[in-house]
Amino acid sequence: KQEVTQIPAALSVPEGENLVLNCSFTDSAIYNLQWFRQDPGKGLTSLLLIQSSQREQTSGRLNASLDKSSGRSTLYIAASQPGDSATYLCAVTPGANNLFFGTGTRLTVIP
Amino acid sequence: ETGVTQTPRHLVMGMTNKKSLKCEQHLGHNAMYWYKQSAKKPLELMFVYNFKEQTENNSVPSRFSPECPNSSHLFLHLHTLQPEDSALYLCASSPEGQGAYNEQFFGPGTRLTVL
């Protein structure tokens, strides 16, 4: 069964710092990997989707990479801002219908 | 605004009550999903509907009963729940139910408390 792990579980950084969030998965047979953001008590907002054939995707200050063979993905956030404070979740699609989620990294950006 | 709405946003119910959660998507998608998010645990997939047909039931207890009358609407009927069923219930939709292009879009969730 696919297992998704995110490290660290929580991270605090001062405003303006660049940071990296890590995601690893046990089964490399995936269609895609998706990064989400979740604010407290709210639903998930899709940030980036990387297809299995791709190495990275970029959106604004966010850059996500995928190394499928090693079962790893990173989310790089440049010049962090207090508004980036949230929980970041990664999820992989192994096949039909399903997403397997990690438990997330709770990010706090300190002004 | 993600194009996926859920009502109610908050629900408190007793163990003997019957209630329903509603999800609606305005994205023209063909697949819809129910997830459960409990504290300290990863999101758990509950049900998947693809073109109105249920294609996944992830060993969910029968006290949760899904209904998908059309591709835009998804319900979760609740009866005789347990306190451990208290969680955030999230609905999502995607263009298709499988494959590389099933980017999922989530609603804001319903915070359910079972007393």
Side-chain angles (χ1 to χ4, degrees), chain A residues 31-32 34 36 38 41-44 46 49 51 89 93 96-99 101-103, chain B residues 33 35 37 42-43 45 48 55 88 90 97-104 106-108:
Chain A
Y31 277 113
N32 58 48
Q34 201 166 352
F36 295 89
Q38 186 175 30
K42 303 287 183 63
L44 278 65
S46 179
L49 173 74
Q51 304 295 350
L89 299 162
T93 302
N97 298 326
N98 208 346
L99 284 184
F101 282 85
T103 50
Chain B
Y33 310 76
Y35 288 89
Q37 186 176 36
L43 269 80
L45 179 69
V48 181
T55 55
L88 182 68
L90 292 163
Q98 61 184 5
Y101 299 98
N102 67 336
E103 182 176 4
Q104 294 191 15
F106 283 76

Side-chain angles (χ1 to χ4, degrees), chain B residues 2-44:
Chain B
T2 65
V4 181
T5 58
Q6 290 186 244
T7 55
R9 295 294 306 277
H10 300 273
L11 178 62
V12 179
M13 59 187 289
M15 289 191 285
T16 58
N17 291 158
K18 290 185 180 181
K19 297 286 185 183
S20 296
L21 310 185
K22 178 182 177 181
C23 176
E24 183 173 2
Q25 59 94 2
H26 312 275
L27 302 169
H29 290 167
N30 293 305
M32 296 187 76
Y33 310 76
W34 280 117
Y35 288 89
K36 176 183 178 182
Q37 186 176 36
S38 305
K40 309 293 186 185
K41 295 173 70 175
L43 269 80
E44 303 169 65

